[in-house]
Amino acid sequence: MHQRFSLPDWTDLAGVDDRELPLLGTALLIARDEYPQLDADLYDTMLQSHVEHLRDQVDSVDQWPQKMAAINRHLFDEIGYSGDSEHYYDPRNSYINEVFERRLGNPISLALVQIEVARRLGIPLDGVSFPGHFLVRLPVDDGVLVMDPFNRGRPLDEDELRQRARPHLNGEAPDDRALFQILNPATHRAILMRVLRNLHGVYAERDDWERAARSADRLLRLQPDNADALRDRGLAYLKMGYQQGARNDLARYLQLNPDAQDSGPLRERLVELSSGSMRTN
């Protein structure tokens, strides 16, 4: 008897340990906000079909890098998952159900598929919150093999990783220690929060403040005192005309982050909100 794939509950997630936070389940929970009729079981079954197709092939080789090469070949060459370069900021690239359906995604959603397939086959693949594009990493004898899910799982050497990090580090290439730190495995919570930050950014850019507020709200379900998410939800509430919510969130943001660069303008907004003179547009 097939057991249906159950989704977690938003109200429980803040208290769940990072290691216990379900990656696929929470990604589908994020997608269900936008697709209320989403059938989680369908996507778990779709993922498991990738796993079953690969099992014999992966079991027939000994080394993890060779096992991973077989997984990448199947996902990217045979099934056709690929990075959506043409419409990179399409929100569908962040919703995992759409990634399964369209075989298109952004770096983090494609990494999520890779990670789930690999781990179900016993391969300890992790995500890497690399600056710019999200990556994945696999332990090997002399260190880690780093791969780019947006480019068909292509391996990246140290030189390329340093060059990719440079624009995000004031033009400085990271030394060995800094690069090692950047390549630390991302927790499930960090991965899911990055998905939600991407969605917030897309919706804010489009002035879709209801969805921007929702994305920030979901971030706060994962990490209730996340200062940036409080600010983002408060500013989205302002745009929506929900002044009480804006006042509460911005006040909490300033309490958590009193020396923030934007604290001055936000304090002025709070004063206006409290005096009832705030205009939202």
Side-chain angles (χ1 to χ4, degrees), residues 167-186:
H168 306 279
L169 300 171
N170 299 319
E172 296 288 323
D175 60 21
D176 287 353
R177 186 158 168 264
L179 185 61
F180 187 74
Q181 281 189 315
I182 291 169
L183 293 175
N184 272 339

Side-chain angles (χ1 to χ4, degrees), residues 5 22-28 30 47 50 68 75-76 81 93-97 99-100 105-120 125-128 134-136 149-150 187-188 190-196:
F5 186 76
L23 193 56
L24 179 64
T26 311
L28 285 165
I30 291 167
L47 185 93
H50 300 342
M68 202 61 227
L75 292 179
F76 299 114
Y81 283 98
N93 291 329
S94 289
Y95 291 121
I96 198 68
N97 60 318
V99 178
F100 283 125
N106 56 27
I108 198 164
S109 62
L110 293 169
L112 208 147
V113 174
Q114 254 185 319
I115 289 167
E116 284 287 322
V117 168
R119 288 182 181 172
R120 289 185 188 198
L125 192 67
D126 279 313
V128 176
F134 196 85
L135 303 171
V136 295
F150 196 69
T187 64
H188 287 189
I191 292 171
L192 294 159
M193 289 178 69
R194 187 156 167 168
V195 170
L196 286 163

Side-chain angles (χ1 to χ4, degrees), residues 36-253:
Q37 304 307 312
L38 177 146
D39 180 357
D41 205 49
L42 170 69
Y43 299 107
D44 175 61
T45 302
M46 205 179 280
L47 185 93
Q48 191 61 27
S49 72
H50 300 342
V51 172
E52 295 311 328
H53 179 92
L54 279 158
R55 193 176 297 282
D56 288 345
Q57 191 182 354
V58 165
D59 286 350
S60 71
V61 291
D62 292 332
Q63 301 298 317
W64 282 339
Q66 281 75 26
K67 290 175 187 281
M68 202 61 227
I71 291 172
N72 287 341
R73 202 161 42 243
H74 181 59
L75 292 179
F76 299 114
D77 297 345
E78 295 168 17
I79 299 181
Y81 283 98
S82 64
D84 190 355
S85 304
E86 199 172 337
H87 303 290
Y88 188 83
Y89 295 105
D90 186 327
R92 290 179 297 177
N93 291 329
S94 289
Y95 291 121
I96 198 68
N97 60 318
E98 289 280 9
V99 178
F100 283 125
E101 297 279 0
R102 300 165 66 234
R103 307 282 197 249
L104 282 173
N106 56 27
I108 198 164
S109 62
L110 293 169
L112 208 147
V113 174
Q114 254 185 319
I115 289 167
E116 284 287 322
V117 168
R119 288 182 181 172
R120 289 185 188 198
L121 288 163
I123 300 160
L125 192 67
D126 279 313
V128 176
S129 276
F130 203 79
H133 274 195
F134 196 85
L135 303 171
V136 295
R137 54 168 275 165
L138 183 71
V140 291
D141 293 340
D142 54 348
V144 290
L145 171 65
V146 181
M147 292 163 282
D148 181 355
F150 196 69
N151 288 295
R152 307 158 75 92
R154 183 171 71 79
L156 304 172
D157 64 23
E158 275 188 44
D159 287 343
E160 186 168 356
L161 289 166
R162 288 183 209 282
Q163 290 310 313
R164 284 186 177 212
R166 187 192 285 270
H168 306 279
L169 300 171
N170 299 319
E172 296 288 323
D175 60 21
D176 287 353
R177 186 158 168 264
L179 185 61
F180 187 74
Q181 281 189 315
I182 291 169
L183 293 175
N184 272 339
T187 64
H188 287 189
R189 196 176 306 274
I191 292 171
L192 294 159
M193 289 178 69
R194 187 156 167 168
V195 170
L196 286 163
R197 278 196 299 272
N198 287 346
L199 281 167
H200 173 270
V202 166
Y203 289 132
E205 186 70 27
R206 296 177 173 201
D207 293 336
D208 186 342
W209 295 110
E210 191 173 323
R211 285 183 172 88
R214 182 182 74 196
S215 303
D217 178 75
R218 294 322 197 188
L219 273 160
L220 290 162
R221 298 298 183 115
L222 288 170
Q223 197 175 70
D225 274 345
N226 184 281
D228 288 351
L230 279 162
R231 177 200 60 210
D232 291 344
R233 188 176 67 176
L235 292 173
Y237 281 163
L238 259 187
K239 296 282 189 179
M240 293 161 64
Y242 175 31
Q243 297 196 1
Q244 179 64 50
R247 185 159 58 235
N248 292 344
D249 280 355
L250 295 179
R252 180 78 182 125
Y253 169 72

